[in-house]
Amino acid sequence: MFLKGTKFQQAYVVDESVYSGFISLFRDENPLHTNEMFARAKGFKSRVMHGNILNGFISHFVGECLPLKNVIIHSQGISYSRPVYLNDTLELYVEVEDFFESVQTIEFKFFFENQNRIKIAKGKLSIGLI
Amino acid sequence: MESSEILKQVNKIFIDVLDNETIVLSNETTANDVEDWDSLTHIQLVVAIEKHFQMHFTSSEIRNWKNIGEMCVTISKRL
């Protein structure tokens, strides 16, 4: 199930409910995320979605999309290379990098692509089997 | 690799993972002797050691280790 090279894929949409839900929960109303004119003045085509929305998608992937429920996140790291805008459709690609049977830990690498097949973020994820 | 060199490298991993420059391991060291070596950091330590020495341990091996020295013996046999 978690052999090195095993791949998973999951689609997400950064729609209005995700965007407004994130702001409602975490109160990050920085103008880059909320002010169209400000975002454009800074060189972006529109309001930039919060990068940590993607971390929420990772949480969903681990908790809901893996073929096991007995999992816990040990660590995750992400780097962003392109902005995400409202209503972008993202595809998450996840691959098993290593399985440490001794401590029941799986390491993954992952990346997100947008609807234009442009990679917008990548990272590493470590989970434990509990 | 000499067992003393293995111990030295394991010591460095402990310092890095636990972010504690004062750690000095010996063959007799156990989890009770090292501050912050708990069930969660144990996982980080084992993963870091497996990566560093490019080997995998088994869960039964780990359960049978009584101290750092026994872990170093396992590493030595695999190198």
Side-chain angles (χ1 to χ4, degrees):
Chain A
M1 186 186 305
F2 292 114
L3 292 175
K4 185 175 181 177
T6 303
K7 293 177 181 174
F8 303 89
Q9 194 172 334
Q10 182 68 31
Y12 294 99
V13 179
V14 187
D15 59 18
E16 182 63 37
S17 66
V18 171
Y19 168 65
S20 58
F22 188 93
I23 289 177
S24 173
L25 282 172
F26 299 110
R27 310 284 182 205
D28 178 0
E29 298 184 41
N30 182 283
L32 184 66
H33 306 307
T34 57
N35 186 314
E36 197 74 24
M37 287 179 64
F38 180 90
R40 289 185 181 183
K42 296 299 178 186
F44 297 97
K45 72 175 188 182
S46 184
R47 290 169 293 168
V48 176
M49 298 296 98
H50 305 75
N52 278 315
I53 287 174
L54 303 191
N55 280 325
F57 291 152
I58 293 293
S59 179
H60 174 269
F61 169 77
V62 172
E64 301 292 341
C65 302
L66 288 173
L68 296 168
K69 292 298 178 196
N70 54 323
V71 292
I72 186 170
I73 293 175
H74 287 158
S75 66
Q76 71 186 64
I78 189 167
S79 59
Y80 306 99
S81 51
R82 295 282 191 282
V84 173
Y85 299 108
L86 189 62
N87 293 321
D88 274 359
T89 299
L90 308 180
E91 197 73 28
L92 170 62
Y93 297 88
V94 184
E95 180 175 341
V96 175
E97 275 207 313
D98 212 344
F99 175 51
F100 299 86
E101 187 275 334
S102 57
V103 283
Q104 295 294 290
T105 294
I106 307 156
E107 288 193 343
F108 301 91
K109 60 181 178 183
F110 66 84
F111 65 92
F112 286 91
E113 273 185 357
N114 66 14
Q115 62 278 5
N116 300 317
R117 303 298 306 269
I118 294 171
K119 193 180 288 188
I120 49 105
K122 65 178 180 178
K124 302 269 188 177
L125 168 68
S126 175
I127 68 166
L129 304 178
I130 54 177
Chain B
M1 190 183 296
E2 294 279 331
S3 59
S4 60
E5 178 59 25
I6 293 171
L7 182 62
K8 187 177 162 187
Q9 292 185 18
V10 168
N11 202 134
K12 185 174 184 313
I13 292 166
F14 270 68
I15 288 171
D16 290 343
V17 170
L18 299 179
D19 196 22
N20 181 348
E21 294 281 344
T22 68
I23 292 172
V24 180
L25 301 177
S26 71
N27 287 328
E28 290 71 39
T29 302
T30 70
N32 293 331
D33 304 316
V34 180
E35 192 181 352
D36 294 331
W37 183 358
D38 55 28
S39 59
L40 280 178
T41 55
H42 176 77
I43 293 169
Q44 296 170 16
L45 288 165
V46 171
V47 168
I49 290 166
E50 290 191 21
K51 283 182 177 177
H52 178 81
F53 290 103
Q54 297 183 307
M55 60 180 62
H56 281 304
F57 305 130
T58 66
S59 48
S60 60
E61 276 176 331
I62 286 188
R63 274 196 301 273
N64 290 328
W65 292 334
K66 293 183 178 63
N67 51 39
I68 287 286
E70 293 193 4
M71 181 183 69
C72 291
V73 168
T74 300
I75 293 171
S76 177
K77 286 177 180 173
R78 295 270 175 82
L79 288 174

